[in-house]
Amino acid sequence: MSLLEFDEVDKFYGETHVLKDVDLNVEEGEVCVIVGPSGSGKSTLLRCANRLEEIQDGEIRLEGQSISDPDADINRLRQRIGMVFQSFNLFPHKTALENVTLGPMKVKGESRDAANSEARELLDRVGLSAQESSFPNQLSGGQQQRVAIARALAMNPRVMLFDEVTSALDPELVGEVLDVMQGLAEEGMTMLVVTHEMGFAREVGDRVVLMADGKVIEDSPPEEFFTNPKTDRGKRFLSKLL
């Protein structure tokens, strides 16, 4: 049984068919990187994985349990699937520490002392222990994104979803976020990553999945995908990047 499974998933926005019969399994401890042109359904797939979007057909399962079941406990689900977005979505009136402790205290019922202790460990883990009292507007974009990663990790998720988390950053700040993500991968965190950072995909990913037109076109080890893509669509995609 895979940790996260997409089984013949279909998603529509009105008449627009944005995910078409998507099959994808993510194993525990695996870093699965999704690449592809804009509009291919990559971000929608992630949003369906924690019920920010509802699917119309198929099934998504976490540890064998259906996510797409209408009776599934969404709050419980979202504790087990952490998500980091392109925009940081931090609370501007709360410090970095308070942003990280909010979920454990409000959702999991942790005491302030316990939540603060864990949050400080997580901020240290993402290289921000010195900024725990800073408000978001006092932090760079890269620092804010690292706080967002710490906030997601504070819920002790089984899998982390990353949706274009570096695309809003200035180029010189991208590396500090990717370094944190690489560290998580080395620690064995299961990750499903949508990104345009091909270096990260090649060096950190265990698998690269190419999506186009709402479908999974290729699913290969990174070296195979980048050196010998199986499809013409994959070759065209890489020719525009490399």
Side-chain angles (χ1 to χ4, degrees):
M1 181 179 66
S2 300
L3 183 64
L4 182 63
E5 301 169 281
F6 298 84
D7 186 4
E8 298 183 349
V9 170
D10 282 278
K11 168 68 182 173
F12 292 82
Y13 290 124
E15 297 296 316
T16 305
H17 198 176
V18 292
L19 294 177
K20 303 173 183 176
D21 200 29
V22 172
D23 284 311
L24 180 65
N25 292 341
V26 183
E27 306 301 326
E28 185 164 5
E30 186 174 46
V31 179
C32 181
V33 181
I34 303 178
V35 301
S38 297
S40 58
K42 308 183 301 295
S43 294
T44 299
L45 188 70
L46 292 197
R47 293 175 66 85
C48 290
N50 70 351
R51 292 281 295 276
L52 289 173
E53 300 284 355
E54 300 291 343
I55 63 174
Q56 277 70 54
D57 200 9
E59 189 174 39
I60 305 172
R61 293 181 294 272
L62 178 66
E63 298 180 296
Q65 179 182 3
S66 178
I67 289 170
S68 40
D69 184 339
D71 296 326
D73 184 339
I74 295 179
N75 290 328
R76 168 79 175 138
L77 162 71
R78 288 179 182 154
Q79 291 181 46
R80 298 160 67 200
I81 301 181
M83 187 161 184
V84 185
F85 301 87
Q86 177 179 338
S87 54
F88 319 125
N89 296 329
L90 300 178
F91 291 103
H93 61 290
K94 293 186 177 294
T95 65
L97 185 72
E98 290 168 337
N99 266 281
V100 177
T101 59
L102 189 62
M105 290 172 61
K106 294 290 187 183
V107 179
K108 297 170 69 176
E110 289 187 9
S111 69
R112 183 175 299 277
D113 285 347
N116 280 345
S117 177
E118 182 180 19
R120 288 190 172 103
E121 290 180 8
L122 288 170
L123 288 172
D124 182 60
R125 189 172 170 186
V126 299
L128 290 174
S129 55
Q131 281 78 32
E132 70 169 61
S133 299
S134 299
F135 290 92
N137 66 1
Q138 298 172 313
L139 300 173
S140 70
Q143 289 173 327
Q144 290 184 64
Q145 194 60 290
R146 285 187 279 155
V147 173
I149 292 172
R151 178 181 59 184
L153 291 171
M155 302 303 289
N156 294 312
R158 295 288 286 124
V159 59
M160 286 280 286
L161 312 176
F162 293 89
D163 187 13
E164 301 279 17
V165 297
T166 60
S167 60
L169 300 178
D170 292 334
E172 65 269 22
L173 302 178
V174 168
E176 64 189 49
V177 174
L178 294 180
D179 285 346
V180 169
M181 294 170 64
Q182 181 167 357
L184 292 176
E186 291 169 353
E187 293 167 13
M189 173 62 72
T190 307
M191 298 162 61
L192 189 57
V193 182
V194 170
T195 187
H196 290 297
E197 300 292 337
M198 293 300 112
F200 177 88
R202 190 166 192 165
E203 294 167 21
V204 182
D206 295 302
R207 287 159 57 208
V208 175
V209 173
L210 172 66
M211 289 189 68
D213 303 317
K215 300 177 182 179
V216 171
I217 305 298
E218 296 204 31
D219 184 346
S220 307
E223 200 58 31
E224 181 179 330
F225 175 75
F226 284 105
T227 60
N228 188 28
K230 301 171 187 172
T231 64
D232 290 340
R233 189 69 185 82
K235 291 172 185 174
R236 290 200 305 274
F237 175 74
L238 288 173
S239 70
K240 296 176 181 178
L241 298 174
L242 305 177

